[in-house]
Amino acid sequence: MAAGEDSGPVLVVGAGPVGMTAALTLRAAGLPVLILEAGVRDRVRPGSRATVTAKNGGSWTAGHVIAADGARSGVRGALGIPLEGTRSDGYHVVVDVADPPGGDLPVERVFHHEHPGTGGRTVLRVPFTGGFQIDLQCRSDDPPESFATEKALRRWLPRLVGEDCAHRVLWVSRYHFLRKVAASFADPSGRVLLAGEAAHLFPPFGARGTSSGIADAVAAAEAVSAACSEPSRGPATVAGYASARRSAARYNSEAAGAALDHLRPRPWKRATLRAAAALSPVVPRCGEWLERAPYGPRGGPARGY
């Protein structure tokens, strides 16, 4: 089939927020779209033109594919595109807590350097509409059952946010600090575009994950639309998408690394942080410096890249 020849709808793999955004953007441009999703219907959620074949043997052919199928992207794996980057030794526990009824908690981000209520572990508190998120830094030798279970939460969380918080926990999870970016955001033919977590993995704070994924989705859909309207420029258009969005992902990765330097500092910097923490009650600038790392917005809505 010749490049640019009508070969059916654009395929979007993955029906998460990134995939759905890409699909809506494509439909707004007047292009037909088929969404492929591995999950069960209505579940609740907290290559070249290289025909797509599913495990059940079904196959689909399209001029372009936007892969938004998540961190374990089957499309990225089939293309042989590696993720490049790092993963922290220790892990983090992240907890979403609902605001108390009638509560009027401050809408600000708070960073606790070596919080005494957690045995000197770092704690980050980030607000969202209707509640807030606690991000607890754990050490590499901390048993997960000591911090990442509902039973463990009842022990350490009240020390941070009060005794009445246990019944307001919405969600708890454990993650490693990942900074990974795909070696390429498109296949060599310019027919398959990676977006969202299929293309990059960032820590779940700082508004970098889904926000940048939504930007990927819109840019990918616009690139495919342009390629379909002017086939001769299709490869260059897709290459432009891949270059621009990979640059944005690398920027986000570097910003996440700067946050990691505060959350998990090297020995020499840990000494500097402790000195700043000790001086902060009498030298306000020391406290301001401790709080200045790019964890995310200090107040108001989050902004992505």
Side-chain angles (χ1 to χ4, degrees):
M1 183 174 293
E5 186 176 338
D6 184 10
S7 55
V10 178
L11 292 182
V12 174
V13 183
V18 175
M20 295 303 287
T21 299
L24 288 170
T25 305
L26 289 163
R27 288 298 298 131
L31 294 175
V33 182
L34 177 63
I35 301 173
L36 304 181
E37 168 58 42
V40 298
R41 184 183 296 275
D42 299 327
R43 71 184 173 103
V44 178
R45 296 177 184 269
S48 99
R49 66 178 179 273
T51 296
V52 175
T53 303
K55 285 184 177 180
N56 64 4
S59 64
W60 298 264
T61 299
H64 293 88
V65 175
I66 296 177
D69 52 338
R72 295 179 176 86
S73 172
V75 176
R76 187 188 65 236
L79 294 173
I81 298 176
L83 284 176
E84 300 171 342
T86 62
R87 164 179 158 151
S88 65
D89 293 330
Y91 63 92
H92 294 242
V93 176
V94 60
V95 186
D96 284 355
V97 183
D99 285 340
D104 188 20
L105 298 179
V107 184
E108 62 178 350
R109 188 202 70 206
V110 180
F111 171 63
H112 297 278
H113 175 65
E114 297 188 349
H115 196 296
T118 61
R121 294 166 181 81
T122 295
V123 176
L124 183 65
R125 175 172 172 160
V126 182
F128 58 80
T129 302
F132 56 91
Q133 185 175 94
I134 295 291
D135 189 292
L136 172 69
Q137 169 198 320
C138 292
R139 298 160 185 155
S140 57
D141 58 350
D142 283 336
E145 60 270 18
S146 297
F147 293 94
T149 66
E150 292 187 10
K151 181 178 179 180
L153 283 180
R154 290 194 290 271
R155 175 179 55 81
W156 63 262
L157 191 60
R159 302 174 193 166
L160 306 182
V161 294
E163 294 293 337
D164 66 337
C165 67
H167 67 283
R168 294 188 282 113
V169 172
L170 302 174
W171 175 74
V172 58
S173 186
R174 177 166 59 99
Y175 73 92
H176 284 267
F177 199 109
L178 295 174
R179 296 171 53 212
K180 298 203 172 188
V181 177
S184 174
F185 278 33
D187 76 317
S189 73
R191 297 287 190 156
V192 183
L193 297 74
L194 304 183
E197 288 192 337
H200 48 69
L201 297 174
F202 305 126
F205 61 80
R208 299 183 183 98
T210 301
S211 293
S212 59
I214 295 298
D216 293 342
V218 173
E222 290 176 345
V224 169
S225 179
C228 290
S229 63
E230 194 173 352
S232 64
R233 292 184 53 82
T237 299
V238 172
Y241 160 81
S243 176
R245 293 313 303 162
R246 190 167 188 273
S247 293
R250 289 176 62 83
Y251 174 90
N252 280 310
S253 180
E254 290 171 5
L260 182 62
D261 285 342
H262 272 253
L263 288 170
R264 296 185 178 278
R266 297 177 179 85
W268 67 268
K269 189 164 186 178
R270 183 174 294 278
T272 303
L273 292 173
R274 286 175 174 166
L279 291 171
S280 61
V282 293
V283 184
R285 287 186 178 180
C286 291
E288 293 170 2
W289 177 76
L290 283 172
E291 213 274 334
R292 201 171 290 144
Y295 309 117
R298 291 170 177 78
R303 294 179 60 189
Y305 304 98

